[in-house]
Amino acid sequence: MNNLFRIGILGSGKGSNFAAIADAVAAGKIPAETAVVLGDVETAGILAQARERKVPAQFIPPGKFRTKLDEDAERAFVTALQNARVDLVVLAGFMRVLKGDILRAFEGRIVNIHPSLLPCFPGLESWRQALDHGVKVAGCTVHFVDAGVDSGAIIGQTAVPVLDGDTAETLHQRIHAAEHELYPRCVAAIARGEIAVVGRRVIWKKP
Ligand code: GRF
């Protein structure tokens, strides 16, 4: 058995960020193993993509709520992540707020990507919120997950200029492309032990 850093990825959607991370792992840019992919939507592209890449993938029914996991489901996610001996939980388009068990079991070891320059525009469809607000610079943020919504310490951000001709769709596409570069870079830095958390600040030892 090797000592590689192990990542577990949670998603609900198509999984393009998972694919970017898996590509970076395969290219040796992230010194880690993608140990497991878990999804709360049986038909999610992320689970199909994981299976195609021979990464263990599992659907876990989310339970009775719409925006969070019920207690049994959250426990099942924790068990699956612990069985896969995961060092870092990577949320890649996981559409449920994490509440109790997972946060306790993986305290300080859960990261998320959000399609805005936080703390602006938390919540849903942030690219549309940014466009509607009229900002000139949008972007994406990788952050640690805490008990709030999109509120944990910020690990990395990429700015994406808003163009005069942008629609919500074109802006979203460019933000998505920026995510595919930012997320693997942040996960690689964590896997290499190259970041330190000082209060709310995340310091990159090797910028
Ligand atoms: C990304 O835009 C991410 O910022 C948000 O969910 C989306 C996931 O997309 N949290 P994908 O499934 O990785 O393509």
Side-chain angles (χ1 to χ4, degrees), residues 11-20 45-46 49 91-95 112-116 123 126-127 139-141 143 150 172 175-176 179-180 183:
S12 313
K14 74 178 190 282
S16 66
N17 280 286
F18 155 69
I46 190 170
Q49 289 207 57
L91 306 185
F94 191 63
M95 296 308 286
N112 181 43
I113 188 152
H114 182 76
S116 79
S126 310
W127 61 92
C140 50
T141 301
H143 63 91
D150 303 323
H172 189 201
I175 292 174
H176 231 137
E179 291 181 350
H180 299 157
Y183 216 0

Side-chain angles (χ1 to χ4, degrees), residues 90-178:
V90 173
L91 306 185
F94 191 63
M95 296 308 286
R96 288 169 194 272
V97 183
L98 302 181
K99 288 287 176 191
D101 270 10
I102 296 192
L103 294 182
R104 277 189 291 277
F106 291 92
E107 199 186 345
R109 294 188 293 143
I110 309 178
V111 294
N112 181 43
I113 188 152
H114 182 76
S116 79
L117 292 176
L118 290 170
C120 286
F121 311 125
L124 295 177
E125 299 207 331
S126 310
W127 61 92
R128 197 181 301 277
Q129 295 185 51
L131 199 65
D132 290 348
H133 195 89
V135 298
K136 299 295 185 193
V137 182
C140 50
T141 301
V142 174
H143 63 91
F144 283 106
V145 172
D146 62 13
V149 176
D150 303 323
S151 56
I154 291 171
I155 302 165
Q157 294 186 301
T158 301
V160 175
V162 179
L163 307 178
D164 287 344
D166 262 334
T167 61
E169 289 67 36
T170 58
L171 179 59
H172 189 201
Q173 265 172 18
R174 290 204 313 290
I175 292 174
H176 231 137

Side-chain angles (χ1 to χ4, degrees), residues 21 37 60 72 79 84 114 162:
I21 290 169
V37 172
I60 299 181
D72 289 347
T79 302
H114 182 76
V162 179

